[in-house]
Amino acid sequence: MKEIKTIEFKEDILYLIDQRKLPLSYEIFECRTYRDVDFAITDMVVRGAPAIGATAAYGVVLAAREFLKEDKEKFLANMKEAMELLNRSRPTAVNLMWAIKKMKDLIEENKDLPVNEIYKKIKEEADTILKEDIETNKKMAKYGNQIVGKKATILTHCNTGALATAGFGTALGVVREAFYSGKDILVYADETRPRLQGGRLTAWELVQEGIPSKLIADSVAATLIRDGKIDLILVGADRIALNGDTANKIGTFMLSVLAKEYIVPFYIVAPTTTIDFDIETGKEIEIEERGSEEVTHIENIRIAPEGIDVYNPAFDVTPNENITGIITEKGIVKPPFKENILKLK
Ligand code: MRU
């Protein structure tokens, strides 16, 4: 498997593959301050729930580095402000809030140490988050591969690969595992309007790996599903409620309705860091709305008339009754979701 270093921290600089530029050019975006990190997450230089979480953790490292010379009180006050900014950079992916909370708790537990000792602990924690995410992905991939037949046609949405995580991927990680374990698979990748994460990023990863695949316009999925051409649908998640309701890229809900109608297994692949144990249902999930230019423009070229209003939610919520199972690093969770999700805590 080709190694894709989505996120790399070296000598006080965070290096991110600039996902706004792929696949036409491969560029690295450098973050030298936590404000750069805030920009990178907001503008989607980096995206995908687990990747956002790990990036935000390094944002906290960069903030701590910047405030290293301050006295303790000022250091703690500045850190609080920096973490609040990072926490707001994107609202739906709970991995972001999870990573920031981990850092907040760590700082609180160690607030009596000298500032440079706190910095060291923050850096170690960010390294652990990054490393553990890759390990978690690989565990999920092994569990997920159990439900992939020897010959299978898989439909996926958005990008859930190495680019969306610290490496390897969630739903696309299962695809990788199935492919490398010798299964005869074919992947249909939705292009995923408006940001085209499927057309740009998933397609790029699939081509890099040589995994048999076809890119489709989103509206093709219904015909493929009705015609019995899809054996399995695998998607990622940005936030999962206790009852299993799942927020993921806009268009996921539509696929789940089709899957239910035509009885195609529909699985979410996500680490337990994507579960929000504080919310009961998907109704409590904030859905990010993004700028109208994502819909009216492609590559800075206007494709819709001036003056048109746009509605651009970045995510939707798939109700738990449309979900066959949730593949996590701790195993595959089946209904009743609430009872079984609570066992993962
Ligand atoms: O807006 P994005 O590109 O950050 O949305 C990404 C998704 O919806 C992914 O499916 C999700 O984050 C899971 S990625 C492993």
Side-chain angles (χ1 to χ4, degrees), residues 111-284:
K111 65 171 189 272
D112 295 330
L113 293 178
V115 166
N116 64 328
E117 292 294 320
I118 303 178
Y119 167 76
K120 271 192 212 149
K121 293 215 174 273
I122 291 173
K123 167 73 170 58
E124 275 165 22
E125 185 70 37
D127 291 342
T128 305
I129 289 175
L130 192 74
K131 190 169 136 265
E132 284 184 353
D133 187 55
I134 301 179
E135 287 161 9
T136 297
N137 283 199
K138 291 188 175 162
K139 284 186 197 153
M140 278 188 292
K142 292 247 181 295
Y143 281 118
N145 196 19
Q146 293 171 2
I147 56 137
V148 180
K150 280 199 169 60
K151 183 173 165 62
T153 302
I154 303 168
L155 177 71
T156 191
H157 192 65
C158 195
N159 171 264
T160 61
L163 291 167
T165 59
F168 209 72
T170 59
L172 210 62
V174 174
V175 165
R176 278 204 160 88
E177 184 69 22
F179 176 69
Y180 285 110
S181 65
K183 290 184 180 169
D184 180 5
I185 60 162
L186 170 66
V187 180
Y188 280 101
D190 283 351
E191 67 174 353
T192 319
R193 275 284 285 154
R195 289 286 292 225
L196 301 170
Q197 290 93 329
R200 292 166 179 272
L201 309 174
T202 302
W204 183 75
E205 290 197 42
L206 289 166
V207 168
Q208 297 272 313
E209 305 275 327
I211 299 175
S213 46
K214 287 182 202 283
L215 178 63
I216 54 169
D218 297 330
S219 38
V220 176
T223 305
L224 286 172
I225 294 170
R226 184 204 56 197
D227 293 350
K229 300 270 169 57
I230 303 296
D231 300 312
L232 174 65
I233 301 176
L234 295 174
V235 296
D238 282 79
R239 193 185 293 236
I240 302 171
L242 271 187
N243 71 345
D245 289 352
T246 296
N248 190 49
K249 180 51 54 195
I250 191 75
T252 305
F253 167 52
M254 193 160 69
L255 288 178
S256 78
V257 175
L258 287 159
K260 199 172 183 195
E261 174 72 17
Y262 292 100
I263 317 169
V264 176
F266 183 92
Y267 282 87
I268 304 291
V269 189
T272 50
T273 50
T274 305
I275 300 171
D276 188 341
F277 290 97
D278 294 333
I279 60 168
E280 286 288 330
T281 78
K283 287 203 179 79
E284 292 166 70

Side-chain angles (χ1 to χ4, degrees), residues 30-74:
E30 293 182 11
C31 300
R32 289 163 193 269
T33 69
Y34 73 87
R35 292 169 208 84
D36 296 340
V37 173
D38 175 54
F39 172 83
I41 296 173
T42 309
D43 210 50
M44 294 174 69
V45 171
V46 63
R47 30 64 52 204
I52 292 171
T55 302
Y58 282 108
V60 180
V61 175
L62 288 173
R65 175 94 200 123
E66 185 174 325
F67 304 132
L68 216 45
K69 298 275 178 302
E70 308 284 6
D71 65 43
K72 178 73 71 63
E73 207 178 317
K74 191 95 196 292

